[in-house]
Amino acid sequence: MRLLILGTGSMANSHAKAFAAIEGVTLAGAVDVDPGRAEAFRAEYNIERAFTSLEEALAWGEFDAVANVTPDSIHHATTLQCIAAGKHVFCEKPLAANYEDAKEMADKIEAANLVGMVNLTYRNVAQLQAARELVTSGQIGKVKHVEASYLQSWLVAKMWGDWQTESRWLWRLSKKHGSNGTLGDVGVHILDFVVYGTDTEIDEVFCRLKAFDKAPNNRIGEYELDANDSFTMTVSFTNGALGVVHSSRWATGHVNELRLRVYGDKGAFEVVHRHDGSKLLVCLGEDIETATWKEVEVEPVATNYQRFVEAVKQGKTLEPSFRHAAKLQKAIDLANVTESDRKEHRITA
């Protein structure tokens, strides 16, 4: 597979390294509007060609697929161009800025019979995949209740840098700079963690958003700090379960942690994924009488990058697909609506 990397920001480095390590993949091109960045990225990863526009790259056309690592707000327009040119697309999350755009992207890539997948990176957590098997195999019985959280601490610690002085963090706090806050940035990750781990879909949501005061007049330079820092969400699922999902950038001491607890009528599990490792804990069988939890060892799993390459090879989209990501975006869009009109909304309506 010959691959074009569209956008050379920080996440593009992960794409370049991961794809270059897969046998049979050639990094054919790189695109960035800044000629210096494009050339530097090309040289660092031994890529064949560098371009300063997607149009220029598509006119050249000597590649099979595109890793779309552009800013969220232009995923829609750039992906549609790639689809029109007959290219498979591996898109960074979120798929689009709203459900309507995401649905259009899913519709068009399916109609073109091209592979469209989204880099929901926590699918790479082996413990999550093993936990899902506990649900699909019936080992925990009928799922009744779900708890999930995505906790970060970069507003109270500097492990990843100083958000007050670095634009790569400040833009995430500003609506006019394209941010939908914590809900838009990591909400898609924790919702995917939930629906994949429980093998179900979201039915209804009710959400509250909060942007806390962070600076005088909530502004630093050109950045108005008005995008949400925290959200809390109640959720009902199509399998009948209820759940609570929350996230915050103020979670002191957590750095970057996803946690999923799923309770069934025959057992339960907990997945914890942190920056320093992952765990799967289960309470099954006779252990439910003594509330005994045991850690389960799991084998590594294929990454999204590897699965995309395999999907292109097979000519068949694998998960997480554009269609799946569009459903998650619908839930996020309606979560925003519930904040504005204070009513619960049904996803499937």
Side-chain angles (χ1 to χ4, degrees), residues 234-249:
T234 56
V235 184
S236 64
F237 300 95
T238 54
N239 66 2
L242 289 177
V244 291
V245 182
H246 68 98
S247 181
S248 180
R249 291 169 171 160

Side-chain angles (χ1 to χ4, degrees), residues 24-83:
V25 175
T26 298
L27 301 184
V31 181
D32 196 292
V33 294
D34 184 299
R37 287 200 303 262
E39 176 55 30
F41 191 83
R42 185 209 65 75
E44 182 173 358
Y45 296 106
N46 196 29
I47 300 173
E48 292 180 9
R49 299 279 298 270
F51 304 92
T52 56
S53 72
L54 176 57
E55 291 77 11
E56 183 185 359
L58 291 174
W60 176 60
E62 295 183 21
F63 52 93
D64 309 298
V66 178
N68 191 340
V69 205
T70 58
D72 300 352
S73 60
I74 60 173
H75 285 177
H76 174 252
T78 52
T79 295
L80 292 186
Q81 286 180 264
C82 296
I83 294 170

Side-chain angles (χ1 to χ4, degrees), residues 107-159:
D107 289 343
K108 288 194 172 180
I109 206 158
E110 289 170 4
N113 198 30
L114 295 167
V115 172
M117 293 175 61
V118 180
N119 192 26
L120 294 165
T121 52
Y122 297 108
R123 289 291 185 95
N124 302 335
V125 177
Q127 287 78 4
L128 178 66
Q129 295 198 24
R132 176 185 169 91
E133 292 177 7
L134 295 175
V135 177
T136 58
S137 66
Q139 291 184 68
I140 70 166
K142 184 174 177 59
V143 175
K144 300 292 188 181
H145 190 77
V146 178
E147 299 176 55
S149 60
Y150 192 149
L151 303 177
Q152 296 182 324
S153 58
W154 58 265
L155 284 177
V156 290
K158 297 183 174 64
M159 287 188 70

Side-chain angles (χ1 to χ4, degrees), residues 71-103:
D72 300 352
S73 60
I74 60 173
H75 285 177
H76 174 252
T78 52
T79 295
L80 292 186
Q81 286 180 264
C82 296
I83 294 170
K87 307 301 182 183
H88 306 289
V89 182
F90 184 69
C91 190
E92 260 305 314
K93 65 82 192 169
L95 180 59
N98 57 68
Y99 172 67
E100 289 73 19
D101 285 352
K103 181 179 182 298

